Amino acid sequence: MNWKTIFSLSLFGFLMGIASIFGYTKGIEWILWTVIAIISAVVINKSGGKLFLNSLLTGIGMAIINSIIQAAFIDMYKQNNPETTQQVQDGALEFTVGLVLLMGIPIGIVYGLFIALVVWIFSKFMRKPEMA
């Protein structure tokens, strides 16, 4: 595993967490996460190693960091994202710190699997570096 790559790419979760608590991701969050997945896939593919495991851990890392940021500033998140708060409450759940933290891992697993899929697709088209 390439821990340096996993940790570095996981910092995208920090950026997205900060952007989301200020409400900058409204309506475009899925686009931003897709772009991040593509960037991550290229970097993971070039770094080599266990591509699937690196992808999965990167997605989990991003989601956990994102969840921690959102949970730490949950009042600001709720204030700047009232539609998300309403959607969660419409689903008969209370939007709490615990819920935000709890959802980080399953969301991270799904997102990590998505990154792994993108890595797999890119691996079919990207040239592997030549070994000297």
Side-chain angles (χ1 to χ4, degrees):
M1 283 184 294
N2 191 333
W3 290 106
K4 183 179 175 185
T5 300
I6 293 166
F7 179 74
S8 298
L9 292 172
S10 292
L11 293 178
F12 276 120
F14 178 80
L15 293 174
M16 286 295 289
I18 295 296
S20 69
I21 64 170
F22 286 106
Y24 296 138
T25 60
K26 290 180 188 174
I28 61 166
E29 190 164 3
W30 69 273
I31 295 170
L32 296 173
W33 280 117
T34 301
V35 169
I36 290 169
I38 291 168
I39 293 167
S40 298
V42 170
V43 172
I44 290 169
N45 215 332
K46 287 185 178 188
S47 71
K50 298 179 179 183
L51 300 180
F52 177 78
L53 201 50
N54 288 340
S55 301
L56 186 62
L57 291 175
T58 296
I60 293 170
M62 284 183 201
I64 288 173
I65 292 171
N66 185 48
S67 294
I68 290 170
I69 297 295
Q70 289 176 351
F73 300 97
I74 195 161
D75 291 331
M76 186 184 296
Y77 182 89
K78 287 179 181 181
Q79 179 183 359
N80 293 323
N81 298 281
E83 65 286 339
T84 303
T85 303
Q86 189 60 48
Q87 288 174 348
V88 171
Q89 291 171 341
D90 287 348
L93 295 172
E94 188 175 338
F95 203 127
T96 63
V97 170
L99 177 67
V100 173
L101 291 173
L102 184 65
M103 293 307 298
I105 293 176
I107 290 171
I109 291 169
V110 171
Y111 189 61
L113 292 172
F114 176 68
I115 294 171
L117 174 66
V118 177
V119 167
W120 179 76
I121 291 168
F122 281 8
S123 72
K124 301 299 177 192
F125 300 103
M126 290 177 65
R127 248 178 104 185
K128 298 285 182 205
E130 297 291 326
M131 299 298 279

